Amino acid sequence: VKPSRVRSAAIPALSVLVGLALSYTLLFVLTGLSLQRFAKVFIDAVYSFQSYLDIYFTLLILGVSTAISFRAGFWNVGAEGQYVAGMLGATYIALFSSFVAYEGGYPRPVADPTIVKLTAIIFGAILGSALSLVAALLKAYMGVHEVPVTLILNYVMYFAVDALVAGPWRGKRVYGYFRTDEIPEELKLSVVHWAPSLRWELLLAVAIVIAFTAYLTLWSPLGLWIKIRGVNPAALRFHGVDE
């Protein structure tokens, strides 16, 4: 029997409440912590969570996007490396492309900042996708399993970052540290006033990724193919569909 939606939502909520109750009971026994103090600490932690929202939404994008590959039976464990590849692509556009010129030792955009930011996002997405394509091609044409490939590529990207920031990308005004110059203020993403760690472009990206993934996996013919490919690829071959 399938659990109802109400029951499915109630189980994790009840788990949180039971966890909080057990935590408070343990703290009360060990330290005599008052319920009022415990509640205040919990509320403060929830409120301060807004400073981590950018990390949460970034991970949400990675999780939703990799769900497509998991649905197809492609075990992509290299999302972090692909994120780093995208970061390098965006950084290149924002600091080292022809869209930017150094004036007095500081990078300044020489084109419309909106165009530069959009170009950085697109180029970063292309590089991130290209890194995952490496594992896909190796599996498709050489039969190499994707897990070790995507895992190793994570470390390739880590070392690529180290090599770049210690070499050609090292900033001119970083006082000996291994890092790039700071991205010009005009090219930084727009801050959400009620959550300073959040950016409007990040929220827009979350909405686009979720909407696209939902349409692709739930309502499109390609999504049905992906699902069948992940669950029963033999069924595709039986119906004469080339994987």
Side-chain angles (χ1 to χ4, degrees):
V1 179
K2 291 185 177 180
S4 65
R5 292 186 178 181
V6 174
R7 188 186 305 173
S8 299
I11 290 175
L14 184 61
S15 301
V16 172
L17 293 176
V18 171
L20 288 173
L22 292 176
S23 299
Y24 172 69
T25 301
L26 181 62
L27 289 172
F28 177 76
V29 171
L30 295 176
T31 66
L33 182 69
S34 68
L35 181 59
Q36 181 180 3
R37 177 63 178 167
F38 178 80
K40 183 179 185 305
V41 171
F42 176 74
I43 293 172
D44 289 344
V46 172
Y47 177 76
S48 64
F49 180 70
Q50 62 90 16
S51 62
Y52 301 99
L53 286 176
D54 58 334
I55 300 175
Y56 170 77
F57 282 115
T58 300
L59 294 176
L60 180 62
I61 291 175
L62 294 178
V64 172
S65 58
T66 52
I68 299 175
S69 63
F70 292 148
R71 195 176 182 89
F74 185 88
W75 299 101
N76 180 10
V77 295
E80 189 171 352
Q82 292 148 28
Y83 170 76
V84 173
M87 177 189 69
L88 290 179
T91 302
Y92 171 78
I93 296 297
L95 287 178
F96 306 106
S97 69
S98 58
F99 291 111
V100 178
Y102 276 78
E103 300 175 1
Y106 293 97
R108 293 287 182 269
V110 294
D112 186 335
T114 302
I115 295 177
V116 179
K117 287 193 285 187
L118 183 60
T119 304
I121 292 171
I122 294 174
F123 188 58
I126 291 174
L127 285 189
S129 301
L131 192 66
S132 63
L133 185 62
V134 172
L137 292 175
L138 286 174
K139 181 172 183 177
Y141 293 102
M142 300 182 66
V144 180
H145 200 279
E146 65 274 12
V147 169
V149 176
T150 52
L151 184 62
I152 290 171
L153 286 176
N154 286 334
Y155 295 94
V156 171
M157 296 314 304
Y158 302 154
F159 286 114
V161 171
D162 291 342
L164 287 171
V165 299
W169 284 16
R170 190 171 182 177
K172 297 178 175 59
R173 295 178 178 271
V174 294
Y175 306 103
Y177 291 99
F178 290 149
R179 54 174 294 175
T180 67
D181 286 317
E182 187 173 355
I183 291 176
E185 197 66 33
E186 302 92 330
L187 300 183
K188 292 182 180 179
L189 302 182
S190 308
V191 176
V192 178
H193 297 297
W194 50 267
S197 69
L198 267 181
R199 303 293 183 266
W200 284 113
E201 292 87 349
L202 180 60
L203 294 179
L204 179 61
V206 169
I208 292 174
V209 168
I210 291 177
F212 173 77
T213 304
Y215 171 76
L216 177 66
T217 57
L218 299 178
W219 296 296
S220 71
L222 178 59
L224 179 61
W225 180 91
I226 290 173
K227 182 178 180 179
I228 298 174
R229 169 63 183 80
V231 175
N232 189 3
L236 289 177
R237 292 193 295 269
F238 178 78
H239 286 88
V241 178
D242 187 5
E243 294 184 59

